Amino acid sequence: MEDIDAIAALQDPVRRRLYEYVAAQGREVGRNEAAQATGVARTLAAHHLDRLAEAGLLESGSRRLTGRSGPGAGRPAKVYTRARAERSVSLPARDYRTAAELLAEAAEQAGLDAGLCAAARRRGEALRGSAAPCDDLEQAVEMLAARGYEPHLEGVEGASGAAADVVRMRNCPFHAVAEQFPPLVCGMNLALLEGLLGTDGPVHARMDARPGNCCVVVKSSKNNDD
């Protein structure tokens, strides 16, 4: 029932907008920022943010937003980030995670990595359908967002010193299983995205693990050295 209660907390449209804004930032968000971004009063934002924290959808803490410390730095402000715990509801009850973990364990023990990646690449191609390979990073962001990866463009400096963009993803749809079987599931994820985005166009998926992000990134050969 806890998951049902938590998800039900998002039924209020203002609360849902606040949750989505905080989740999309990938960092701590203060009450003033959240209120301004969603167009509501600060007191109303504070009320809903606290309700989201009580429901376990957000985590709250406090820090000085001025960046200063010591006398005159001001009081710490309350800040919020998306909770790390996953929430899901299935009626009647289902347990697909256990099935996925058992299948991943069996595949890993049997050395079926190559077969799993081949299947994942075919699935990605099937999801793309008759569309041409992804043509630019903006299109890649749209495709990844539709699959729940929560992508965002991040500026990086290439080997030549030129600025370039890379698409990083704040969410891995396979996170729970990937934590237990990282080489197997991350390889599957890479193959899936290779099929989805295509390998013959200017946009390519690459493995580049970073804490708090999906293990795969997307780069464009148009403006990247590799």
Side-chain angles (χ1 to χ4, degrees):
M1 292 298 293
E2 289 184 2
D3 282 358
I4 293 177
D5 293 339
I7 293 173
L10 296 173
Q11 184 176 359
D12 183 284
V14 173
R15 197 173 299 159
R16 186 180 183 88
R17 290 206 310 273
L18 286 162
Y19 172 78
E20 290 175 344
Y21 177 77
V22 173
Q25 304 316 302
R27 56 174 173 77
E28 293 178 329
V29 174
R31 289 171 166 176
N32 284 339
E33 178 186 347
Q36 292 173 5
T38 55
V40 300
R42 183 185 183 281
T43 52
L44 182 61
H47 166 73
H48 284 305
L49 289 167
D50 285 339
R51 288 290 301 275
L52 289 166
E54 290 168 7
L57 294 169
L58 297 181
E59 294 177 358
S60 62
S62 61
R63 68 177 178 86
R64 289 187 173 91
L65 299 178
T66 60
R68 303 193 305 272
S69 59
R75 296 175 57 186
K78 200 162 187 179
V79 292
Y80 303 83
T81 55
R82 180 169 57 184
R84 288 164 287 185
E86 294 181 13
R87 302 286 183 177
S88 62
V89 174
S90 178
L91 298 173
R94 297 288 186 262
D95 189 4
Y96 298 114
R97 179 183 294 181
T98 297
E101 291 170 351
L102 290 171
L103 290 169
E105 182 179 356
E108 188 173 73
Q109 291 178 355
L112 299 177
D113 305 54
L116 178 61
C117 287
R121 192 171 290 106
R122 289 194 298 271
R123 175 58 63 90
E125 291 170 351
L127 291 170
R128 177 160 52 92
S130 59
C134 194
D135 173 13
D136 55 43
L137 292 182
E138 286 72 19
Q139 185 181 356
V141 166
E142 292 181 9
M143 296 175 70
L144 294 167
R147 304 298 305 172
Y149 282 92
E150 299 182 7
H152 65 284
L153 282 171
E154 180 178 285
V156 296
E157 184 175 310
S160 64
D165 287 329
V166 60
V167 177
R168 293 195 179 273
M169 294 163 271
R170 295 193 176 100
N171 182 51
C172 171
F174 317 109
H175 175 72
V177 188
E179 279 194 317
Q180 295 191 52
F181 307 96
L184 180 77
V185 178
C186 290
M188 176 200 75
N189 187 26
L190 173 61
L192 177 71
L193 293 182
E194 286 176 338
L196 179 67
L197 302 174
T199 57
D200 299 328
V203 172
H204 302 282
R206 295 284 186 270
M207 197 74 77
D208 186 4
R210 175 184 291 187
N213 287 263
C214 175
C215 58
V216 178
V217 300
V218 178
K219 299 181 179 181
S220 173
S221 58
K222 293 179 180 178
N223 57 6
N224 282 279
D225 297 321
D226 57 353

